[in-house]
Amino acid sequence: MDTRNLRDDRRETAGATPRQKGAGSVAGDRLRRRFASRRFLILLGVYAVVLLVLTVVSAVVAWALSALSGGGDTGPLIYSSVVFWVLLLAIVAGPAVQGRALNVSALVGRSAEHSSSDEATASSPAARVFGALLAEWVTSLVFVGIAVPVLLVAAVAGGVAAHVVIGSLGILIAEVLVLGAIAVGVSGLVARPGRSVAVAYAVVAGLTIGTILVFAFVGNLARHEVVTENRGVSWSSTELVADCDEAFAEGASDCVEDADGEGVTTCEAWQRTTSERARLDLAWWVLAANPFVLVADATPLTWQGSMQSPADLFGMVTSGVRQAQVAGETTEILDACTIDGQHEATTVPALVDRTAASWYLGLLAQAVLAAGLLIGATSREQRRTAMPERTS
């Protein structure tokens, strides 16, 4: 072989541009460094302990409330509480790491700056952004995975329906991933790590606390007069009310005598009141982007008791938001009478049936926000690669 040609080939090989890493390789490098960190493993252990403590606290509170209210199934309430705890922990802890994913190396360690510099030179801007996103998504799934056994134990012990468990876990995972994407996008747009974390927390706080404040403020800007008609139901023994004729004479609006003749069930006279209320129907849609409202609204609802009240926090939150949709009606009928099924139109399930779900709109809005932030982060990475920033 010609020695000159061999030397030329070696020089060409040495001067060739190294093959850039894809998003998968960037994510893999970040995850290897992250899971090799003792501090990160300790963080996983602390997270598990905190979640267990919160679960025990939720169970004790649920049992206490059940005892005070005269009994009731506490299993669904405990399970839904744990789901909300997992979401809250993701909201509180996520931005601290995900909010600096693109301006500091993914892992705490001595080689953080060096590894971040290597990543920047060995990968394209898009690969860095989406590699960081994949790494944060995998990390988020690990934390959710730690919570799954706790959730399953709470579900099985509490007799929670399978479709509720599947639905709540599915939307919980989706919400955690979208929130992670938002925080990663922010980290790519804000250069300084501390500032990017602060902005990530501000965005997440806007979705959680901000949506509630806007809902209350906008809803109370406009007020209107509401006429309420209501009646209650009662049972009286024949010693107090002999029959329905006597009940009607005393002003009952409806009456049914017991088959055994021991008493009568009466509907009280209709009462009419007038009050001024906020137009919450003008602002209820703001709550669609709230993570807790989103998870609750997307989870299949279950009911309990003769009044068909919500069995868990999902139903409580959803019924509150759905009630806000009809707050603009000028008349309101509250009929507690159970005779001839007259109560069916005023139950919570009936309210949910005649109002609209909004969780998919909230998830879509969050996804659009995350996509916009990630596109902006990719654009900024491209500009930074083409013209490095001056250090201040």
Side-chain angles (χ1 to χ4, degrees):
M1 180 181 290
D2 190 347
T3 306
R4 182 179 301 174
N5 292 338
L6 182 59
R7 287 196 300 268
D8 292 341
D9 291 341
R10 289 178 177 175
R11 280 195 297 268
E12 291 177 2
T13 302
T17 303
R19 183 180 179 181
Q20 290 191 330
K21 295 180 179 179
S25 298
V26 172
D29 291 343
R30 284 171 167 256
L31 290 171
R32 279 191 292 271
R33 295 195 302 272
R34 174 165 291 172
F35 284 94
S37 168
R38 181 177 300 176
R39 292 175 61 182
F40 179 72
L41 297 179
I42 293 175
L43 178 62
L44 292 178
V46 171
Y47 172 82
V49 172
V50 170
L51 185 59
L52 285 173
V53 171
L54 292 175
T55 302
V56 172
V57 171
S58 298
V60 172
V61 172
W63 290 330
L65 292 176
S66 177
L68 292 174
S69 61
D73 190 6
T74 59
L77 185 60
I78 296 173
Y79 173 79
S80 58
S81 300
V82 178
V83 172
F84 279 160
W85 282 127
V86 174
L87 180 59
L88 179 62
L89 290 175
I91 290 173
V92 170
V97 177
Q98 298 160 346
R100 64 177 69 193
L102 285 171
N103 46 38
V104 164
S105 180
L107 188 64
V108 183
R110 294 182 178 178
S111 60
E113 295 183 0
H114 182 266
S115 60
S116 182
S117 176
D118 289 346
E119 180 181 291
T121 57
S123 58
S124 66
R128 290 198 296 275
V129 171
F130 290 98
L133 177 62
L134 288 175
E136 299 308 324
W137 274 357
V138 171
T139 303
S140 298
L141 291 176
V142 170
F143 280 97
V144 174
I146 293 175
V148 166
V150 179
L151 290 169
L152 292 180
V153 169
V156 173
V160 181
H163 67 285
V164 174
V165 176
I166 295 173
S168 60
L169 283 179
I171 192 62
L172 174 65
I173 292 173
E175 180 63 8
V176 168
L177 295 183
V178 172
L179 291 177
I182 290 174
V184 172
V186 168
S187 74
L189 289 176
V190 183
R192 298 182 181 276
R195 190 175 301 171
S196 65
V197 170
V199 173
Y201 271 115
V203 173
V204 174
L207 292 174
T208 52
I209 302 174
T211 51
I212 297 175
L213 295 178
V214 171
F215 165 73
F217 177 75
V218 175
N220 281 278
L221 283 179
R223 304 181 71 83
H224 69 144
E225 190 176 84
V226 179
V227 176
T228 302
E229 296 184 0
N230 65 84
R231 67 173 179 172
V233 62
S234 62
W235 180 87
S236 301
S237 66
T238 53
E239 297 176 357
L240 299 176
V241 180
D243 52 29
C244 281
D245 290 337
E246 182 179 347
F248 284 125
E250 294 180 357
S253 58
D254 205 346
C255 177
V256 170
E257 297 182 10
D258 292 353
D260 54 14
E262 293 184 358
V264 295
T265 301
T266 60
C267 293
E268 299 170 359
W270 286 99
Q271 302 292 327
R272 185 183 180 93
T273 58
T274 302
S275 61
E276 190 179 75
R277 298 185 187 178
R279 289 292 306 274
L280 300 179
D281 59 303
L282 300 177
W284 69 268
W285 52 270
V286 176
L287 295 175
N290 185 289
F292 295 95
V293 173
L294 193 157
V295 170
D297 196 45
T299 302
L301 303 180
T302 54
W303 319 103
Q304 64 180 0
S306 59
M307 298 301 294
Q308 293 185 289
S309 58
D312 50 33
L313 291 179
F314 304 133
M316 296 177 189
V317 173
T318 299
S319 60
V321 177
R322 297 296 184 87
Q323 183 61 51
Q325 295 183 25
V326 299
E329 296 181 356
T330 56
T331 59
E332 180 182 56
I333 299 177
L334 303 177
D335 188 3
C337 190
T338 58
I339 297 177
D340 296 330
Q342 295 176 35
H343 72 293
E344 293 180 1
T346 57
T347 60
V348 178
L351 170 68
V352 172
D353 289 340
R354 71 173 187 267
T355 51
S358 60
W359 65 269
Y360 55 91
L361 295 177
L363 191 62
L364 177 62
Q366 291 183 6
V368 170
L369 173 61
L373 291 172
L374 290 172
I375 291 173
T378 303
S379 177
R380 184 179 181 279
E381 286 288 313
Q382 290 174 341
R383 293 196 303 272
R384 187 169 62 177
T385 300
M387 185 169 56
E389 298 178 356
R390 295 190 300 269
T391 57
S392 56

